[in-house]
Structures are given as structure tokens and as C-alpha cells.
Amino acid sequence: QVQLVESGGGLVQPGGSLRLSCAASASIFGFFVMGWYRQAPGKERELVAVIFRGGVKKIADSVQGRFIISREEAENAVYLQMNSLKPEDTAVYYCNLRLNSEEYWGQGTQVTVSS
């Protein structure tokens, strides 16, 4: 069983930046895909950015050019650098990991973009 712990959320003004971190409790060596989803009030959970084992990244059109996903396998971690934040980026952000045919979710971290 792998646990994912997110951190880095908070309140930020429009145009600001935040960096989310997701740390896995066990080795992610050989993972299939790891990344971030988000869910805004009244909306379905949606993909934000994920990174595949080979390094390929998939980024949502709505955050392309503003958000950067990276991983540090030695730290069993994945990061999401969020720049030029907009009010519509407000949501709970969840870390996701698919490893050895299992799927894991973090508990979520709130990101609020407001002046």
C-alpha cells in the first residue's frame, strides 16, 4: 500500500505562483504514471498534468504554458509548479499514482486564487 501526501496549497492572488508537492510513502520505481488532478466545486475531477515513466508529459490545455510538472524518483515525489494563477484554477488538487496495476490518490490540497 502506498500513501500519497500533498503539500503546498493555499491562498494566492491572481497572477501569483504556488508549488505543490506529492510524496509517496514507498518507492515509485517503475511507476506507470504519476501526476495531478483537480476538482472545483460542482465540477468533475479533471486531469491537470501527469508524467509517464518514460518522461512523456500530458498537460491540460487550460494550464498549458503556466503549469510545469516534474518528478524526482529518488525522492519518490512529483511536483507541480503553478504560475500565472487564475481564479478558475481554484480547486482541490489531488495527487495520483498508478503503480503495479494499482491506483492511489492523495487526500487533496486546496488551492484558492482570489484577490
Side-chain angles (χ1 to χ4, degrees):
Q1 187 76 7
V2 178
Q3 294 185 344
L4 303 175
V5 179
E6 300 110 332
S7 60
L11 173 64
V12 64
Q13 292 186 344
S17 298
L18 284 174
R19 185 177 189 244
L20 303 184
S21 300
C22 173
S25 62
S27 173
I28 62 170
F29 179 78
F31 78 99
F32 175 62
V33 60
M34 191 170 183
W36 297 91
Y37 290 71
R38 68 187 181 186
Q39 188 166 19
K43 295 188 177 181
E44 293 187 353
R45 191 171 296 188
E46 62 177 1
L47 181 147
V48 177
V50 296
I51 185 166
F52 292 85
R53 182 170 55 212
V56 173
K57 300 174 185 178
K58 182 175 181 179
I59 313 292
D61 290 343
S62 59
V63 306
Q64 186 73 252
R66 301 188 295 122
F67 290 12
I68 301 169
I69 186 170
S70 62
R71 75 169 190 254
E72 180 52 68
E73 209 159 331
E75 296 177 357
N76 300 319
V78 66
Y79 305 96
L80 185 68
Q81 178 66 43
M82 305 187 295
N83 302 317
S84 302
L85 283 160
K86 304 175 180 180
E88 51 263 43
D89 294 318
T90 295
V92 178
Y93 284 69
Y94 296 92
C95 183
N96 176 268
L97 168 67
R98 290 178 222 174
L99 173 69
N100 298 331
S101 301
E102 298 287 338
E103 185 172 29
Y104 304 94
W105 291 94
Q107 80 286 355
T109 185
Q110 177 70 45
V111 172
T112 302
V113 185
S114 175
S115 55

